[in-house]
Amino acid sequence: MNEEQVSKIIQNILDNKKCENLFERHKMERVIDAAVKRANELNVGVTIAIMKSDQVLQMSYHMPNANLVSCTLAPKKAWSALAMKEPTKDISKDIQPGASLYQMETMLNGKLASFAGGIPLTVNGEIIGAIGVSGGLVEEDQSICEAAVAEFLKES
């Protein structure tokens, strides 16, 4: 192994350590608080899911007034934003009949969520995770998710 390869390995380790700091419990609690605040402003109950790029759910919160189905959909939205590397609101147009990714949802056995409420977390041009929100109308989920992402990115 040459010096350049060793340097690259060390840089990857340091980058991963920086990413870990972005997912500290207290920071994720502030993100969830921001999402709950926005949900309360809209008078809607939701589930919020924060996922790292390794697809591990880091934190999830289900508001007492949220529908049960949101517990399943919020992590799906986070996963979908990661898998597709774009907000879930932008996936729908690509999977319609005649579009380039038509039937992708069925090919993934229902794992892909193609409606608003999932947004990748991008830091320095790299996707490090995603947030998914479910429980309201798609416009409400999107607004709540945007509030959560804004809070997450404040200290990035």
Side-chain angles (χ1 to χ4, degrees), residues 20 23 28 49-52 54-60:
E20 287 294 324
F23 289 93
M28 290 187 295
I50 304 172
M51 185 176 287
K52 283 178 47 181
D54 60 5
Q55 303 175 36
V56 174
L57 185 62
Q58 296 299 296
M59 187 174 279
S60 179

Side-chain angles (χ1 to χ4, degrees), residues 117-156:
I119 301 175
L121 297 167
T122 304
V123 176
N124 297 325
E126 183 181 339
I127 296 175
I128 62 161
I131 297 177
V133 173
S134 181
L137 301 172
V138 291
E139 298 83 10
E140 293 168 332
D141 289 353
Q142 183 67 23
S143 176
I144 296 163
C145 195
E146 288 170 0
V149 169
E151 181 64 31
F152 186 94
L153 295 176
K154 270 186 182 177
E155 302 168 24
S156 300

Side-chain angles (χ1 to χ4, degrees), residues 43 51 60 70 85 103-104 110 115 121 128 155:
N43 198 29
M51 185 176 287
S60 179
S70 66
K85 299 180 180 178
Q103 295 188 334
M104 180 176 267
F115 42 93
L121 297 167
I128 62 161
E155 302 168 24

Side-chain angles (χ1 to χ4, degrees), residues 88-133:
T88 55
K89 70 179 181 66
D90 297 337
I91 297 171
S92 184
K93 68 184 180 327
D94 296 330
I95 62 169
Q96 299 302 313
S100 60
L101 300 175
Y102 178 55
Q103 295 188 334
M104 180 176 267
E105 282 179 306
T106 57
M107 290 179 197
L108 292 172
N109 298 319
K111 192 171 181 180
L112 185 70
S114 61
F115 42 93
I119 301 175
L121 297 167
T122 304
V123 176
N124 297 325
E126 183 181 339
I127 296 175
I128 62 161
I131 297 177
V133 173

Side-chain angles (χ1 to χ4, degrees), residues 62-81:
H62 179 81
M63 294 175 67
N65 59 333
N67 295 326
L68 185 57
V69 69
S70 66
C71 290
T72 299
L73 290 176
K76 268 189 176 187
K77 288 181 181 185
W79 181 87
S80 298

